[in-house]
Amino acid sequence: MTGKIHSIESFGTVDGPGVRLVVFFQGCPMRCKFCHNPDTWEPDGGTEMSVEDIYQKYERNKGFYKNGGVTVTGGEPLMQLEFLTELFAFFKEKGVNTCLDTSGICYTEKRKEEYQKLLAVTDLVMLDIKSPFPEVHEELVGQELAPVLAFGKLVSEVGVKLRIRHVVVPGITEDEESLKEVGKIIRGFSTLRELEVLPYHKMGEKKYQELGIPYPLAETPALEKTVAEEARKIILESMRGK
């Protein structure tokens, strides 16, 4: 089996614990207005790679990954569920820590058993919650919120560690009501271990220009890091029922 791979980062330090091999899958059904990887959207792009091809890249720098492992991100990795499961199963057999960075958007109850097989070989899930409100979520990313929350629930049900990621976008997800709602939602995830609140940035704008795609948030200013830190406090207080 082969998968469509956009690119591979040999020494990732922000996508999971330790130093990691970060594999960017090609293809994504989301159209997030603040996406900084629009070049990963189309499922027909990328390079065909086998599990062994990817493992060989890990093996070359194995010594650096002693306290890390492999992270799969995208794009949206769940679009290639079978290949992703095979990849993680292979790495787990080698004793490598596995981390999945996902929006959860592809999840469906009809394929629950398949997702359970994936999670059985996954050590950490980093789940992005774009907005806690269905209508805002759909406007912001072009997809429904329900599959995201259902996937988060499944991750907790099977006992896999969970890290929530939330991007604070000025004028869209910055308001207190929205932040408190995020807290209420993630309060129900029993395996939640970390909360990462990220400030919206404009680093992806140049890619849109190169691809000839209008940048949806061209008029939206980048968010100060200190504002994101305060937003995190609001979410945590809401989680504790305050």
Side-chain angles (χ1 to χ4, degrees):
M1 187 183 296
T2 60
K4 291 285 188 72
I5 305 302
H6 173 269
S7 57
I8 294 179
E9 181 182 351
S10 298
F11 302 105
T13 58
V14 297
D15 295 301
V19 179
R20 311 185 70 83
L21 182 78
V22 183
V23 185
F24 292 82
F25 275 35
Q26 184 72 32
C28 185
M30 305 271 268
R31 291 296 180 267
C32 303
K33 291 185 176 180
F34 53 84
C35 178
H36 56 275
N37 290 323
D39 45 333
T40 66
W41 287 349
E42 294 304 321
D44 294 331
T47 302
E48 293 277 352
M49 296 184 72
S50 68
V51 168
E52 185 64 33
D53 291 334
I54 296 172
Y55 185 74
Q56 286 304 314
K57 290 186 176 294
Y58 178 90
E59 188 70 20
R60 287 174 202 160
N61 300 297
K62 190 175 181 179
F64 292 96
Y65 304 131
K66 193 173 293 183
N67 297 313
V70 61
T71 294
V72 170
T73 182
E76 175 46 66
L78 297 182
M79 283 188 71
Q80 301 183 60
L81 180 59
E82 292 181 36
F83 178 72
L84 172 60
T85 303
E86 183 177 301
L87 178 71
F88 272 11
F90 187 90
F91 271 82
K92 285 302 293 178
E93 286 180 6
K94 301 289 185 179
V96 180
N97 179 276
T98 55
C99 174
L100 169 63
D101 180 17
T102 178
S103 69
I105 197 65
C106 297
Y107 179 71
T108 170
E109 287 288 323
K110 292 179 181 179
R111 302 184 70 184
K112 184 176 181 178
E113 288 188 9
E114 294 175 69
Y115 279 94
Q116 288 173 326
K117 288 179 182 178
L118 167 64
L119 293 173
V121 289
T122 304
D123 291 305
L124 172 68
V125 171
M126 298 192 296
L127 179 64
D128 295 320
I129 294 183
K130 313 294 185 180
S131 168
F133 299 123
E135 64 280 4
V136 178
H137 189 275
E138 195 160 345
E139 169 64 23
L140 187 60
V141 306
Q143 295 286 343
E144 294 182 354
L145 176 61
V148 179
L149 303 186
F151 183 71
K153 181 181 178 182
L154 178 66
V155 172
S156 286
E157 283 179 0
V158 301
V160 176
K161 292 179 182 177
L162 182 62
R163 176 192 293 184
I164 292 296
R165 284 178 158 177
H166 180 63
V167 178
V168 181
V169 184
I172 302 177
T173 61
E174 185 185 8
D175 62 285
E176 188 171 338
E177 182 186 8
S178 179
L179 296 170
K180 286 183 174 180
E181 192 65 23
V182 171
K184 291 176 184 177
I185 287 172
I186 65 178
R187 186 192 305 168
F189 296 150
S190 60
T191 58
L192 177 63
R193 296 293 181 270
E194 300 174 73
L195 170 63
E196 193 173 359
V197 178
L198 306 169
Y200 163 73
H201 62 71
K202 300 173 76 73
M203 288 187 283
E205 191 168 5
K206 186 178 179 181
K207 280 189 182 179
Y208 284 77
Q209 294 172 354
E210 292 171 351
L211 294 169
I213 305 172
Y215 186 63
L217 300 182
E219 303 302 319
T220 303
L223 191 81
E224 294 290 336
K225 186 177 180 181
T226 53
V227 179
E229 290 170 353
E230 289 302 314
R232 185 175 186 275
K233 291 178 183 177
I234 293 172
I235 294 173
L236 288 173
E237 288 178 355
S238 178
M239 278 182 61
R240 299 175 187 129
K242 296 181 180 180

